[in-house]
Amino acid sequence: QATAVVSARAIPNGWRPAIVTPGIAKYKTTHFEPFRSIIAGADDALENATAYLCVGFGFNDTHIQPKLLERWKQGDAFLVILTKTLSENAKAMLDRANGKKFLALEEARSGGTYMWSHRQQGEIGGVDLWKLSDFLEHTI
């Protein structure tokens, strides 16, 4: 039996692309469909996850991150962050982790990866684990 191949670039019939762009109407826009349903679905997934992989997320969106961080702060989930540069908000949050399990990977000043975790910090030379492609290549 043949299987239809759907491209991520193709827009299904009856659908239209939707994106919340930065600006003054950003928060207002998210109160309407399809964003309300998307956020509700994301909340359900976040409430039941045992680990979170955050790629390029700076922890600056106070309307999105509470559900993500709730289980982590309770010690019920592991947090993995991959980003070129950890935001000041992310660093402050990790400094207050108090034993919560996390791994944060960012670009090291000298190249390679700087690793923060609930156990240790340090550089990992020769590999850009902070890049999703390299992270997946070395972990999966």
Side-chain angles (χ1 to χ4, degrees):
Q1 184 176 9
T3 305
V5 176
V6 179
S7 168
R9 292 185 172 99
I11 300 169
N13 290 336
W15 292 71
R16 64 181 177 83
I19 187 168
V20 177
T21 57
I24 8 179
K26 177 180 179 178
Y27 299 105
K28 183 179 177 185
T29 302
T30 62
H31 290 273
F32 302 104
E33 291 298 336
F35 306 107
R36 287 184 60 83
S37 294
I38 292 168
I39 291 171
D43 283 349
D44 287 344
L46 292 171
E47 287 170 1
N48 296 302
T50 56
Y52 305 103
L53 174 61
C54 302
V55 180
F57 185 63
F59 296 90
N60 298 316
D61 294 307
T62 55
H63 65 295
I64 301 230
Q65 65 201 38
K67 292 283 184 186
L68 186 155
L69 296 176
E70 186 175 307
R71 287 178 53 83
W72 176 68
K73 286 179 179 177
Q74 293 170 354
D76 296 332
F78 194 92
L79 179 64
V80 177
I81 304 168
L82 307 179
T83 189
K84 183 170 177 64
T85 305
L86 280 170
S87 70
E88 291 305 314
N89 283 343
K91 287 178 183 179
M93 178 189 74
L94 297 175
D95 282 341
R96 297 185 309 268
N98 296 326
K100 307 301 183 276
K101 296 177 183 176
F102 72 89
L103 173 65
L105 303 170
E106 69 175 334
E107 184 178 33
R109 288 184 182 144
S110 58
T113 302
Y114 191 82
M115 176 193 74
W116 302 55
S117 84
H118 58 287
R119 294 192 177 145
Q120 64 186 20
Q121 295 181 21
E123 284 195 32
I124 304 169
V127 63
D128 293 330
L129 292 174
W130 59 273
K131 292 181 180 177
L132 179 60
S133 58
D134 287 5
F135 179 80
L136 293 175
E137 181 180 323
H138 287 86
T139 59
I140 295 182

